[in-house]
């Protein structure tokens, strides 16, 4: 650029000017650093919370993608069933996108103890497949998990056991409808009790061996759903394609976003909220930034005039002020990023929310929060600060370039 | 070498309600390689005239040309270029960039001109030695006396051999020995390279070096005499 300094000399000039009033610069650096820290740290907490809510939500579905009879979602009765997956299906799902899959019978049922009865969702499962999809045997708080599809036992939630006023080892009766709309019922012994992140889940799902449930309903080699889990819940297009190719052409393949649109909208709202949060923090910062730069410019009116008198172009002066601002922002970002990483990493083992845990549970969140530091969020925070920071600095920089040299020099 | 023509320059300032005629129909013809002193009491319009010729200030009316180019018609960017390539300035006050050392201040203009680093720094050292600041190259303005600062400004004004040097009270902060040294340096550049000098001053010592002495008062030229300057 003619009429300007070479970039090295400009940089040196900007750097020295930055430290001319080092106290003011330090205060501003601190403000930027704390602002960036707040952007990243709070985002990591919110992300952690939402991630967990979504992961829990997906675990309760379960799976990232499910295969059903086309009418199943309108009427989840056993009438709407699909063939149990065969060897060809398993071979087709042997791709890197797929982490695990399992087939399950899933029907509304009534469970009765000698004291009480409740409506539940009966799951006829392959116990190993459930574990592959995310069921954690650590959550079995009494008794045992099912042994296999032939297990004649029943695993129920802690809360349901309370409601039914029954106990481990006792028998309960499950009642549902078979494909001919006739009552199908069968006695099961309670062999295990599980806990879930939410009480409502403990009350809803009861697990039994798949073949036992199939026998009870009078069906063979048929299931209600196939659940498939993948690697990245934010990106399930590949998974949907792989599963669609493998599944029966009449079956319906649905990703989790459609199975639970509330979860999906939560994720979207969160993405929007992160950006809003960052911009809000930046706006708070920007007042300080503009003020600092304006002060720095007003102090140096004569200097800018002198530079112009010596032949430096106005836009080169503007560029110099912008460079100063960029240095300030970059330094503040550096410190802020280090602070953010340093404060999130020690919490990666989880933050016990203790006293507020009950309130969080009501919102559908767990009691332990795992902050999630996402590269994308960190980049976004940095981009917001740099881009909006430069935009904000345009005004002071423009002012600096507008002084007429003679007026500037005449000021004494 | 620069030939300057000023035709009917007028400039009024408003001071409160009063109008001050800083330049009142000034017409001047300045031949190439002139060595001119502008003298006159404080407030007579010397600074205003120098600033107008250097394109730092706008006029109310009149025309200024340097080597045939109408300075008063150039836009900001072209004026900046003109100053950068052809005019050296020494201002009455506030001449230096505070965060740069003496050498960096002298190099500043050459940097903006785009001279290579080695050439710049050699020229800066040489000229600083010539104005008597050897050994002080790395001092910041705040670490220099008023006279030393003035000499840095002079060094910067002449280092890239402009065709015109506009100096406003360049000896204001100098003792008489330094003032004499400086004027000899100016005359040397004028005699050997034909650089045109216009020096505003009310310092009698300075006027003795002038080949042409222009007297101003109340914004008017009241005297314009060729004189036989003392030898340098
Ligand atoms: N920016 C300004 N605003 C108002 N009046 C000014 C300004 N600059 C100069 N003047 C007035 O113009 C007149 C000429 O000033 P100047 O050219 O600085 O004189 P000199 O340099 O000879 O002392 C003076 O009366 C001065 O007060
Ligand atoms: Mg003056």
């Amino acid at each position: 650029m003619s009429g300007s300094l070479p970039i090295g000399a400009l940089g040196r000039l900007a750097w020295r000017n930055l430290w001319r009033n080092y106290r003011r610069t330090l205060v501003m650096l601190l403000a930027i650093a704390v602002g960036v820290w707040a952007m990243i740290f709070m985002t990591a907490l919110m992300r952690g919370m939402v991630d967990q809510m979504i992961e829990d939500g997906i675990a309760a579905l379960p799976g990232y993608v499910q295969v059903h009879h086309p009418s199943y979602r309108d009427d989840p009765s056993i009438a709407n069933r699909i063939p149990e997956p065969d060897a060809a299906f398993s071979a087709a799902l042997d791709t890197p996108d797929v982490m695990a899959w399992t087939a399950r019978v899933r029907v509304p049922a009534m469970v009765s103890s000698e004291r009480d009865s409740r409506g539940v969702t009966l799951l006829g499962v392959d116990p190993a497949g459930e574990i592959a999809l995310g069921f954690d045997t650590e959550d079995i708080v009494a008794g045992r998990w099912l042994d296999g599809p032939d297990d004649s036992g029943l695993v129920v939630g802690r809360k349901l056991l309370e409601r039914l006023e029954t106990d481990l080892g006792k028998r309960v009766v499950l009642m549902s409808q078979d494909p001919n709309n006739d009552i199908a019922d069968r006695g099961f012994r309670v062999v295990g009790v599980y806990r879930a992140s939410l009480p409502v889940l403990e009350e809803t799902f009861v697990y039994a061996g798949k073949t036992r449930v199939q026998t009870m309903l009078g069906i063979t080699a048929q299931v209600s759903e196939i659940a498939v889990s993948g690697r990245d819940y934010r990106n399930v297009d590949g998974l949907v394609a792989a599963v669609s190719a493998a599944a029966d052409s009449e079956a319906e393949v649905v990703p989790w976003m459609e199975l639970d649109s509330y979860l999906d909208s939560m994720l979207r709202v969160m993405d929007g909220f992160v950006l809003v949060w960052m911009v809000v923090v930046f706006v708070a910062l920007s007042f300080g930034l503009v003020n600092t730069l304006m002060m720095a410019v007003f102090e140096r009116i004569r200097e800018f005039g002198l530079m112009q008198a010596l032949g430096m172009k106005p836009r080169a002066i503007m560029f110099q002020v912008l460079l100063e601002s960029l240095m300030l922002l970059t330094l503040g970002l550096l410190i802020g990023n280090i602070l953010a990483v340093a404060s999130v990493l020690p919490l990666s083992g989880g933050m016990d929310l203790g006293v507020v845990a009950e309130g969080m549970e009501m919102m559908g969140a767990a009691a332990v929060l795992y902050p999630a530091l996402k590269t994308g969020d960190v980049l976004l925070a940095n981009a917001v600060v740099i881009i909006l920071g430069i935009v904000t600095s345009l005004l002071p920089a423009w002012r600096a370039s507008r002084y007429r040299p003679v007026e500037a020099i005449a000021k004494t | 070498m620069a030939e300057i023509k000023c035709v009917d320059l007028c400039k009024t300032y408003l001071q409160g309600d009063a109008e001050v005629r800083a330049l009142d129909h000034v017409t001047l013809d300045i031949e190439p390689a002139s060595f001119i002193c502008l003298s006159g009491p404080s407030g007579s319009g010397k600074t205003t005239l120098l600033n107008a010729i250097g394109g730092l200030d706008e006029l109310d009316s009149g025309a200024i040309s340097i080597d045939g180019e109408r300075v008063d018609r150039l836009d900001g960017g072209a004026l900046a270029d003109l100053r950068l390539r052809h005019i050296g300035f020494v201002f009455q006050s506030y001449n230096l960039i505070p965060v740069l050392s003496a050498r960096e201040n002298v190099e500043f203009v050459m940097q903006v001109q785009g001279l290579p680093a080695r050439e710049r720094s050699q020229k800066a050292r040489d000229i600083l030695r010539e104005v008597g600041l050897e050994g002080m190259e790395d001092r910041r303005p705040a670490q220099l006396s008023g006279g030393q600062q003035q000499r840095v400004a002079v060094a910067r004004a002449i280092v890239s051999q402009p065709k015109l040097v506009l100096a406003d009270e360049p000896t204001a902060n100098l003792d008489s020995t330094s003032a004499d040294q400086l004027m000899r340096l100016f005359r040397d550049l004028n005699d050997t390279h034909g650089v045109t000098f216009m020096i505003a001053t009310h310092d009698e010592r300075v006027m003795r070096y002038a080949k042409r002495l222009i007297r101003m008062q109340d914004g008017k030229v009241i005297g314009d005499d060729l004189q036989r300057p003392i030898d340098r």
Side-chain angles (χ1 to χ4, degrees):
Chain A
M1 171 162 46
S2 86
S4 174
L5 284 175
I7 188 80
L10 259 182
R12 188 174 52 204
L13 198 59
W15 180 254
R16 287 189 193 165
N17 276 318
L18 202 55
W19 298 106
R20 204 149 144 188
N21 190 331
Y22 69 96
R23 197 169 305 170
R24 187 172 62 206
T25 299
L26 282 180
V27 168
M28 199 53 222
L29 271 183
L30 195 70
I32 298 173
V34 169
V36 171
W37 171 83
M39 287 179 187
I40 299 177
F41 185 76
M42 290 306 288
T43 301
L45 289 191
M46 291 186 288
R47 281 279 187 221
M49 197 167 93
V50 170
D51 273 4
Q52 204 151 5
M53 284 158 86
I54 289 171
E55 273 160 24
D56 285 350
I58 292 177
L61 286 174
Y64 296 5
V65 174
Q66 290 186 353
V67 185
H68 298 127
H69 184 279
S71 307
Y72 177 82
R73 286 203 293 154
D74 291 334
D75 172 17
S77 75
I78 197 60
N80 297 319
R81 57 196 186 276
I82 52 176
E84 211 164 325
D86 52 16
F89 182 87
S90 343
L93 281 198
D94 188 14
T95 77
D97 272 345
V98 176
M99 199 153 90
W101 62 269
T102 191
R104 355 158 74 202
V105 178
R106 174 177 176 141
V107 285
M110 180 75 90
V111 60
S112 309
S113 68
E114 64 272 38
R115 297 293 191 99
D116 209 344
S117 51
R118 328 248 347 150
V120 295
T121 298
L122 171 61
L123 299 170
V125 300
D126 170 1
E130 292 299 307
I131 290 171
L133 238 74
F135 187 91
D136 188 354
T137 50
E138 296 263 303
D139 287 335
I140 299 291
V141 290
R144 62 173 176 83
W145 177 232
L146 300 171
D147 283 335
D150 293 327
D151 197 318
S152 60
L154 192 71
V155 173
V156 303
R158 200 165 42 174
K159 201 83 187 172
L160 183 66
L161 202 70
E162 244 171 62
R163 295 266 192 240
L164 294 175
E165 295 177 51
T166 184
D167 219 335
L168 197 67
K170 298 225 166 135
R171 281 185 82 82
V172 293
V173 175
L174 273 157
M175 197 164 75
S176 186
Q177 287 196 332
D178 69 13
N180 304 320
N181 295 333
D182 288 327
I183 295 292
D185 57 3
R186 188 190 158 97
F188 287 88
R189 193 176 301 281
V190 177
V191 296
V193 181
Y194 71 88
R195 64 163 184 229
S197 55
L198 301 174
V200 62
L201 298 176
E202 292 179 359
E203 272 187 84
T204 306
F205 294 109
V206 301
Y207 294 88
K210 184 169 67 189
T211 30
R212 297 285 168 174
V213 176
Q214 283 170 333
T215 312
M216 161 183 158
L217 297 172
I219 55 174
T220 45
Q222 284 168 317
V223 291
S224 314
E225 69 189 12
I226 304 167
V228 186
S229 70
R231 314 259 164 213
D232 175 12
Y233 65 73
R234 280 172 172 271
N235 182 7
V236 293
D237 291 349
L239 196 62
V240 170
V243 175
S244 301
D248 194 291
S249 58
E250 259 149 56
E252 176 189 48
V253 176
V254 190
W256 67 268
M257 296 84 144
E258 278 173 53
L259 292 167
D260 191 336
S261 53
Y262 169 72
L263 278 184
D264 183 40
S265 56
M266 195 158 68
L267 190 65
R268 283 169 202 284
V269 166
M270 182 63 197
D271 284 345
F273 188 72
V274 163
L275 186 61
V276 170
W277 163 246
M278 287 178 178
V279 170
V280 164
V281 174
F282 181 84
V283 166
L285 266 185
S286 67
F287 291 100
L289 185 65
V290 169
N291 193 46
T292 301
L293 288 174
M294 276 298 193
M295 270 157 64
V297 165
F298 281 132
E299 277 173 7
R300 280 154 47 203
I301 293 175
R302 292 196 302 181
E303 201 171 314
F304 294 128
L306 175 64
M307 289 175 172
Q308 282 196 53
L310 295 177
M312 196 155 152
K313 297 245 166 79
R315 62 192 154 86
I317 287 173
M318 200 165 156
F319 184 63
Q320 196 211 318
V321 175
L322 287 180
L323 196 64
E324 243 172 272
S325 163
L326 192 66
M327 281 182 178
L328 190 68
L329 292 168
T330 310
L331 219 61
L333 277 175
L334 196 71
I335 301 171
N337 280 307
I338 291 173
L339 279 182
V341 172
S343 58
V344 170
L345 280 191
L347 297 176
S348 59
M351 246 173 104
D352 199 338
L353 296 180
V355 280
V356 293
E358 223 151 282
M360 299 289 285
E361 264 172 33
M362 267 168 43
M363 287 166 50
V368 179
L369 188 54
Y370 298 88
L373 196 60
K374 301 237 156 91
T375 318
D377 291 340
V378 175
L379 291 180
L380 183 66
N382 283 276
V384 163
V385 172
I386 290 281
I387 294 171
L388 294 189
I390 292 293
V391 170
T392 316
S393 311
L394 282 173
L395 178 67
W398 180 80
R399 287 290 287 128
S401 71
R402 280 306 100 170
Y403 294 111
R404 303 238 322 280
V406 62
E407 284 169 17
I409 294 169
K411 280 208 166 61
T412 32
Chain B
M1 294 231 205
E3 182 179 24
I4 304 164
K5 289 189 196 302
C6 301
V7 182
D8 212 20
L9 307 185
C10 289
K11 172 85 181 175
T12 41
Y13 285 112
L14 271 182
Q15 286 179 350
D17 287 338
E19 272 199 355
V20 179
R21 292 185 167 264
L23 293 178
D24 194 359
H25 301 283
V26 171
T27 297
L28 282 175
D29 242 327
I30 293 164
E31 285 158 18
S34 295
F35 196 95
I36 296 174
C37 269
L38 279 176
S39 71
S42 181
S44 57
K46 305 184 293 293
T47 300
T48 307
L49 179 59
L50 291 186
N51 286 344
I53 293 172
L56 292 177
D57 207 356
E58 279 163 27
L59 291 165
D60 298 340
S61 64
I64 302 174
S65 63
I66 299 179
D67 288 341
E69 184 156 41
R70 284 287 294 270
V71 174
D72 52 305
R73 286 187 183 160
L74 294 178
D75 67 10
L79 277 176
D81 258 343
L82 175 74
R83 289 195 293 265
L84 182 65
R85 313 258 164 229
H86 304 301
I87 304 180
F89 276 101
V90 180
F91 298 104
Q92 202 163 346
S93 64
Y94 204 84
N95 264 299
L96 304 179
I97 298 166
V99 294
L100 299 182
S101 69
R103 187 172 52 78
E104 289 165 341
N105 262 289
V106 174
E107 281 191 41
F108 181 88
V109 172
M110 293 188 282
Q111 278 178 326
V112 181
Q113 286 172 340
L115 254 63
R118 188 182 298 247
E119 193 181 337
R120 260 183 356 231
S121 111
Q122 192 54 51
K123 280 191 169 180
R125 271 175 212 291
D126 291 347
I127 200 79
L128 281 169
R129 181 157 11 86
E130 223 166 322
V131 297
L133 289 175
E134 196 171 14
M136 301 190 190
E137 292 93 342
D138 293 326
R139 293 203 192 168
R140 300 267 178 101
Q143 298 165 310
L144 296 169
S145 73
Q148 289 166 336
Q149 290 181 30
Q150 200 77 347
R151 280 185 271 172
V152 176
V154 167
R156 182 190 54 208
I158 60 180
V159 68
S160 44
Q161 299 212 343
K163 57 185 181 186
L164 170 64
V165 172
L166 302 170
D168 200 353
E169 317 270 4
T171 58
N173 293 306
L174 300 183
D175 58 60
S176 51
T177 323
S178 313
D180 277 324
Q181 257 173 18
L182 185 63
M183 292 317 293
R184 282 195 211 108
L185 180 63
F186 279 3
R187 273 282 302 279
D188 182 41
L189 283 169
N190 176 250
D191 290 342
T192 57
H193 295 286
V195 179
T196 302
F197 278 82
M198 286 189 77
I199 303 164
T201 189
H202 42 243
D203 186 341
E204 297 291 340
R205 297 167 303 182
V206 171
M207 294 176 208
R208 292 179 299 153
Y209 289 88
K211 296 175 179 172
R212 180 175 167 190
L213 189 61
I214 297 174
R215 294 183 189 280
M216 293 187 71
Q217 196 174 340
D218 298 332
K220 294 191 189 73
V221 174
I222 56 162
D224 188 346
D225 305 294
L226 295 179
Q227 65 174 27
R228 215 188 122 72
I230 61 166
D231 283 340
R232 56 184 165 94

